[in-house]
Amino acid sequence: MMKQVYLAGLVVLAWLSMFGEPWAAEIPDACQTQAPWGAPQWTGTEPPVTALCHRAYVALHDDVKLVPDFVSWSLTAEHALGCLPRKDSFAPDPDLPPGHRAELADYKGHAGVYDRGHMAPNSDFEWDAQVQRESFYLSNMSPQASHLNQWEWERLEEVTRAWALTRGPLVVMDGPIWGATVETIGTDQVGVPAAYWKVIVDGSGQVALFIMQNEATAKGDLTPYAVSVAQVETAAGFTLPLPAGVDRTAVSVVWPADMEAFQERKRATCQIR
């Protein structure tokens, strides 16, 4: 019955797209904390998406490309200092039916080229075993260049956690940018993004935004990747849900981050010697 309902939904979405009728994704009530300003609003035809509300993040899953087009979560200082060890428990999302989701087999044979790249990172969820496990659902992944995922994208994730201590609580959003043609991997044809965007909203409503190409990118200064709201919106194809009054044209400033102080606090909290 679940599969039939899901397929019927896709048919309705296809019919609406055919006739140009607007259809806007919505954030489930249970996940409003994770996306307090709602869902993005596509400027063209919205792709068929499924809203997936997990305990600590919400994702709008692209039901064609089989990766999330939008992920949002809240990040507090307490959560940034979680102490659970990483447990790689990658799994297909149980809230999506087989045939309409990425599977583990889709990523096999791509080691060293594409990682199962987290959109909402595991290290933001080391405060609870269930939410950490849910971060490994493939609906929270996309094929990310290995030396982006492990280098500069990781750097951005690390700095964001440091900001959670000094500028939080934060709301973090990210997702893919699609090229004119889309490469796919696996039997299920999982889409490979051309680039990724990330937006961080701090406790005062200020924003920092970044775009990184889906290619090997050395770990270092984030300044070359800082962009404006308008640049992210143009590249992603939708209007971002943001607090009122945000300047959408100014290139964002990369806020200071004391990584050494953050690591010391982490070691003390987790009693790491």
Side-chain angles (χ1 to χ4, degrees):
M1 177 61 72
M2 178 181 178
K3 185 173 183 180
Q4 291 174 341
V5 170
Y6 182 91
L7 291 174
L10 290 182
V11 170
V12 170
L13 288 172
W15 184 87
L16 289 174
S17 297
M18 183 184 305
F19 291 96
E21 294 293 334
W23 186 89
E26 295 183 357
I27 300 299
D29 290 343
C31 268
Q32 293 293 323
T33 301
Q34 312 306 336
W37 304 289
Q41 302 298 305
W42 267 260
T43 51
T45 301
E46 179 173 323
V49 295
T50 297
L52 298 168
C53 181
H54 296 301
R55 263 192 63 196
Y57 71 93
V58 61
L60 297 181
H61 178 264
D62 189 314
D63 297 325
V64 175
K65 299 182 182 75
L66 306 184
V67 302
D69 276 331
F70 173 83
V71 181
S72 184
W73 66 101
S74 60
L75 181 61
T76 66
E78 179 184 6
H79 291 172
L81 295 169
C83 299
L84 293 176
R86 177 179 174 126
K87 293 183 179 179
D88 287 354
S89 53
F90 295 99
D93 194 316
D95 291 337
L96 293 169
H100 299 279
R101 66 189 186 189
E103 303 288 348
L104 294 174
D106 291 317
Y107 285 86
K108 288 184 178 179
H110 299 282
V113 179
Y114 294 122
D115 289 351
R116 294 166 291 195
H118 283 73
M119 291 293 92
N122 158 75
S123 293
D124 287 8
F125 302 120
E126 292 175 345
W127 48 276
D128 181 275
Q130 179 182 336
V131 299
Q132 184 185 49
R133 186 164 53 252
E134 289 178 352
S135 80
F136 282 93
Y137 288 159
L138 295 182
S139 58
N140 183 41
M141 311 284 163
S142 77
Q144 192 168 47
S146 297
H147 288 159
L148 173 65
N149 179 47
Q150 299 170 32
W151 292 353
E152 189 70 343
W153 191 257
E154 181 182 62
R155 172 66 175 178
L156 179 53
E157 293 173 339
E158 293 168 344
V159 169
T160 301
R161 284 188 286 277
W163 287 335
L165 268 62
T166 58
R167 306 184 69 94
L170 309 176
V171 173
V172 188
M173 297 170 264
D174 60 14
I177 293 168
W178 300 106
T181 59
V182 179
E183 176 189 351
T184 64
I185 62 169
T187 302
D188 295 293
Q189 299 186 313
V190 178
V192 179
Y196 294 94
W197 60 270
K198 195 180 199 84
V199 176
I200 302 100
V201 184
D202 77 359
S204 68
Q206 296 184 61
V207 296
L209 306 95
F210 304 88
I211 290 177
M212 295 182 188
Q213 298 302 305
N214 193 14
E215 61 190 21
T217 306
K219 197 169 188 177
D221 183 16
L222 294 171
T223 303
Y225 310 102
V227 295
S228 67
V229 173
Q231 286 173 284
V232 172
E233 292 179 329
T234 297
F238 50 60
T239 301
L240 288 165
L242 293 170
V246 167
D247 186 340
R248 294 183 121 81
T249 60
V251 173
S252 69
V253 174
V254 180
W255 303 318
D258 190 335
M259 296 307 300
E260 184 175 344
F262 173 79
Q263 293 298 337
E264 288 180 0
R265 179 84 174 272
K266 178 89 169 181
R267 287 192 291 268
T269 302
C270 299
Q271 300 181 343
I272 300 171
R273 297 183 179 181

